[in-house]
Amino acid sequence: MKNFKKLIAAATIVGVLGMTGAVYAAVGATTPAGIVAGLTGKSVEQVTAERAAGKTYGTIASEAGKLDEFKTEILELSKANLDQRVKDGYLTQAQADTAYNTMKANQVICDGTGSARMGLGNGTGLGMGAGAGRRNGGGRGMNAGCRLLP
């Protein structure tokens, strides 16, 4: 009986820790900072501090040799946001498709520095808050370094 109680306690602890990790991973992967943190092994706070110091998220990922992975995950995040905006009625499917195709094409010349200023006005509006980025995907969100998120 004692061993059974220990087994139950251990399983509960492992389950709670596992769910906490999954929730953290899911929350962190929904922002450019979370994506970069996951790819580079840095904390979101470290990535945010580097971003505040003037580096783009793409530059941070590039310095860690993870630019291609970053671009892929940012594109997936952007696609999910576009899909949600279509579902919520903020965009038509045609507008979402146009924005997605523009972002995908821009990745070809993306070097992570944000200097190309691509995609202005065609992003998913991943800006902070419910401002212009919530309307028609035309908001100027956080600079991810590839200007995929205008």
Side-chain angles (χ1 to χ4, degrees):
M1 188 67 167
K2 286 183 182 181
N3 287 337
F4 182 71
K5 287 181 182 179
K6 288 179 183 179
L7 179 63
I8 294 296
T12 302
I13 291 170
V14 168
V16 169
L17 291 176
M19 287 190 315
T20 303
V23 168
Y24 177 75
V27 170
T30 60
T31 65
I35 290 171
V36 173
L39 291 171
T40 62
K42 297 178 180 183
S43 70
V44 172
E45 292 77 19
Q46 289 171 312
V47 170
T48 303
E50 287 185 51
R51 177 69 186 106
K55 287 185 180 180
T56 66
Y57 293 117
T59 298
I60 299 166
S62 181
E63 289 174 352
K66 300 290 185 178
L67 181 60
D68 289 337
E69 294 92 335
F70 172 72
K71 292 191 305 186
T72 298
E73 290 193 31
I74 283 292
L75 190 61
E76 289 172 9
L77 175 62
S78 296
K79 176 71 169 127
N81 284 321
L82 286 168
D83 291 344
Q84 185 62 47
R85 290 179 195 272
V86 169
K87 182 178 175 185
D88 292 344
Y90 291 111
L91 291 174
T92 66
Q93 187 61 55
Q95 289 171 318
D97 290 344
T98 298
Y100 177 77
N101 290 332
T102 299
M103 287 183 269
K104 193 172 180 180
N106 286 343
Q107 283 198 344
V108 174
I109 59 172
C110 174
D111 64 0
T113 63
S115 61
R117 302 194 48 82
M118 300 176 290
L120 293 176
N122 284 328
T124 60
L126 291 176
M128 305 301 275
R134 298 223 14 120
R135 290 189 295 275
N136 296 328
R140 294 180 185 263
M142 298 176 287
N143 178 1
C146 296
R147 299 303 285 170
L148 298 175
L149 310 169

